[in-house]
Amino acid sequence: MTEFENDSALFSTLKTELFTAVIGDVLDQMGLTRQFLPAEIAPLVPGTKIAGRAMPVLEADIFDNGHPASNGPLANKPFGLMLEALDDLRENEIYIATGASLRYALWGELMSTRALHLKAAGAILDGYVRDAQGIRDLGFPAFCRGIYAQDQGPRGKVIDFRCTIEIGGVKIAPGTLLFGDEEGVLAIPREAEAEAITRALEKVKSENIVADAIKGGMSATEAFATYGVM
C-alpha cells in the first residue's frame, strides 16, 4: 500500500497525479459502485480540482421564518447553524452541504473568505452558489449545481453539521475522503482509501504504457488482452 506522511501529502498526490475516472474505475473493481456524487455537481471554475476531508452539513427549507407560534429551537435564529458550521471548519476540510431544495443558494463570497482564512480545502454544494465572480476572484475551490442569486436567509437553515449525510445515494460521514475534478466528485470510504489510491496510481502507470503501445500501432483489442486496461 502507498503510504503518505500526512493528509496534505495525500491530497497533493490526488490533485497532481490522479483523476476521478481512474479512482472511480478502481472503486468499481473493489465493489464500491456508487461513490460518485450526481453529475450535476461540477466545479464553478472548469479545471478545478478539490481534495480534502468531509465536514458534512445538513440543510432544511423553511417557509415562515421566525413565526411566533414556532417551538423549534432554530425558529428565530437566522441561517440556523450555518455560521457555527462555517466557523467550525478545520484545515483541509471540505464544507459539503445537502438537504435543501433548489430555491436558493447555499454558499457565497463571504463564506468563501472565512473558509479560506480557516485553510479549508473548498466547498461542495448539493445546490447553488451566489457571488460567483467573487468566489472565482478568491480562487476558492467550489463545486455546485450552478449559480443562483436568491438568498438562503428567509428560505433555509442549517440544522446540523458534522453529521452523516447522503447525496444521490452516496453516504458521506465526517472525515470521508472527497476528491473532485471537472469530470465528477467522489466520496471514498475511509476503510477503502489506502487500497483505492494505491491501485489507482498503479492503473495510471499501466494506462500510460497502453497509450504508448496504441500510439505505436497496437490495436485496442490486443492492448486490452495484453494489459487488461482500456
Side-chain angles (χ1 to χ4, degrees), residues 7 16-17 41 50 75 94 108 130 137 141 156 183 189 199 209 217 225:
D7 267 357
T16 59
E17 299 184 35
I41 299 176
I50 191 170
I94 295 172
R130 66 184 212 158
D137 291 344
E183 296 189 353
R199 290 173 59 173
I209 293 171

Side-chain angles (χ1 to χ4, degrees), residues 46-227:
T48 299
K49 286 189 172 184
I50 191 170
R53 297 286 176 190
M55 202 287 274
V57 176
L58 184 61
E59 295 261 359
D61 289 353
I62 57 173
F63 301 94
D64 196 354
N65 195 21
H67 191 284
S70 175
N71 293 315
L74 300 177
N76 295 297
K77 186 174 175 57
F79 302 107
L81 299 174
M82 187 187 79
L83 302 179
E84 287 83 351
L86 179 61
D87 284 339
D88 200 51
L89 272 171
R90 301 166 191 165
E91 185 173 357
N92 288 327
E93 286 190 329
I94 295 172
Y95 184 107
I96 180 166
T98 191
S101 67
L102 297 177
R103 297 192 299 129
Y104 49 88
L106 304 180
W107 190 265
E109 181 181 2
L110 292 179
M111 295 179 75
S112 299
T113 301
R114 176 60 174 155
L116 275 174
H117 178 77
L118 296 171
K119 300 181 180 179
I124 298 172
L125 298 315
D126 186 15
Y128 300 124
V129 302
R130 66 184 212 158
D131 311 319
Q133 190 56 52
I135 297 172
R136 294 188 191 104
D137 291 344
L138 287 169
F140 183 77
F143 283 60
C144 58
R145 287 181 177 267
I147 301 167
Y148 187 36
Q150 185 148 268
D151 187 29
Q152 177 172 195
R155 300 175 181 89
K157 294 180 187 287
V158 169
I159 58 173
D160 202 0
F161 62 95
R162 294 200 183 279
C163 56
T164 298
I165 60 174
E166 190 173 287
I167 300 177
V170 181
K171 187 174 290 186
I172 301 161
T176 296
L177 177 60
L178 300 173
F179 177 48
D181 56 24
E182 63 185 0
E183 296 189 353
V185 178
L186 279 169
I188 306 168
R190 189 179 286 272
E191 64 273 14
E193 65 183 53
E195 180 181 353
I197 293 165
T198 297
R199 290 173 59 173
L201 289 167
E202 293 170 352
K203 191 172 191 293
V204 167
K205 293 178 183 177
S206 297
E207 288 183 349
N208 290 337
I209 293 171
V210 172
D212 288 340
I214 291 174
K215 289 174 184 176
M218 182 180 284
S219 71
T221 303
E222 183 182 357
F224 186 73
T226 303
Y227 301 105

Side-chain angles (χ1 to χ4, degrees), residues 16-47:
T16 59
E17 299 184 35
L18 293 173
F19 43 96
T20 56
V22 71
I23 300 178
D25 289 352
V26 168
L27 290 171
D28 282 347
Q29 293 165 6
M30 293 171 63
L32 298 168
T33 57
R34 296 193 63 183
Q35 300 308 130
F36 271 104
L37 302 191
E40 293 80 8
I41 299 176
L44 179 63
V45 177

